[in-house]
Amino acid sequence: TVDPNQTKVYGAANPSTYTYGVSPSLTGLAALNGTLTSTTTSSATLMNATGTFQIASRNGGEFYSGYVSNFRVVKGTAVYTSAFTPSTTPLTAISGTSLLTCADNRFIDDSTNNFTITVNGTPSVQRFNPFGASTAYSTSVIGGSGYFDGTDGASLLANSAFDYGTGNYTIEGWVYSSTTTWSLYGTGGGGSADQFSCDGGNLYWGYGISLFGAAGIPNFFTDQNINQWVHVAICKSSGTTRAFKNGVVIATSTVNSA
């Protein structure tokens, strides 16, 4: 559960940058295209490792319409801890990578886990990607993206590789959406669902309730972000979770996850 006394404090220098404070604390950061925007502290359970891992959907049936490219999950490492420049080349399966997908000429897992990805409905692989490359599909040259039409998705069976516990982690990828509502992934259903998603531009990350508060991170994904590739990431390092957009830290959180 999250402490009901959680507060939000707006930064004087940037009213859109905010910090959540709750006790007890572990800290988490979120980033959008590499920029830090908020900080949160609270106590909450993170990641429903027993639920089906659903790409481009959440709550067991709310599907995303748009593109996902180079979706990577890294367990045990916060790849980003401050503002950064998103990669201009496809991501690789670095040490600790639990999943790397939506980067090839088919729906596969490029991590050493080589998880089987089940296609649900008719999502398609596209050449369209964030790196400006038009090279024909080649697993050895460059991948593309997965396109989801709002009625389909892809999924993996539950696995402990997606149970982050109280440790460090990174979840990142590029999204291309025509609206401010999208979902990178989710597990379970209803109030028990873990999710990394935006609803009307507000970002939610966590299990059952967002680690960035019940209202999520307001205006994380705005009208200015639609119809273009946007890199999004959630990274936890030594108790601090950061949300990034295009390499900028949008929010930080000290929510305690177990």
Side-chain angles (χ1 to χ4, degrees), residues 10-234:
Y10 288 85
N14 183 358
S16 66
T17 299
Y18 51 90
T19 298
Y20 288 101
V22 181
S23 297
S25 67
L26 280 185
T27 303
L29 304 179
L32 172 59
N33 287 336
T35 301
L36 175 62
T37 59
S38 72
T39 302
T40 307
T41 301
S42 69
S43 177
T45 299
L46 178 62
M47 193 59 207
N48 176 10
T50 62
T52 301
F53 192 101
Q54 303 162 336
I55 300 170
S57 68
R58 62 178 182 176
N59 293 343
E62 296 179 20
F63 296 101
Y64 159 54
S65 177
Y67 298 86
V68 173
S69 182
N70 283 252
F71 175 28
R72 183 170 69 181
V73 176
V74 180
K75 182 178 178 180
T77 301
V79 178
Y80 316 110
T81 58
S82 60
F84 63 93
T85 300
S87 178
T88 57
T89 58
L91 300 181
T92 59
I94 60 176
S95 177
T97 297
S98 294
L99 175 70
L100 176 57
T101 190
C102 295
D104 298 285
N105 57 2
R106 56 200 187 282
F107 288 102
I108 59 173
D109 174 19
D110 289 319
S111 80
T112 57
N113 291 318
N114 192 27
F115 288 128
T116 297
I117 297 177
T118 301
V119 172
N120 307 310
T122 57
S124 60
V125 173
Q126 300 291 323
R127 183 178 301 176
F128 188 43
N129 62 76
F131 313 112
S134 58
T135 305
Y137 296 131
S138 169
T139 55
S140 62
V141 179
I142 192 166
S145 62
Y147 175 71
F148 304 88
D149 67 7
T151 64
D152 50 28
S155 62
L156 296 76
L157 295 178
N159 192 282
S160 60
F162 307 116
D163 185 352
Y164 315 123
T166 59
N168 298 337
Y169 57 80
T170 298
I171 298 94
E172 66 175 313
W174 279 264
V175 296
Y176 188 104
S177 178
S178 60
T179 73
T180 56
T181 295
W182 50 264
S183 180
L184 196 55
Y185 88 91
T187 65
S192 64
D194 188 43
Q195 61 178 310
F196 183 174
S197 64
C198 260
D199 191 349
N202 296 350
L203 181 73
Y204 296 90
W205 163 243
Y207 174 69
I209 187 168
S210 174
L211 271 68
F212 291 91
I217 302 173
N219 302 312
F220 179 87
F221 199 89
T222 67
D223 288 342
Q224 285 69 44
N225 299 130
I226 65 175
N227 295 324
Q228 59 182 288
W229 284 110
V230 176
H231 181 270
V232 296
I234 298 286

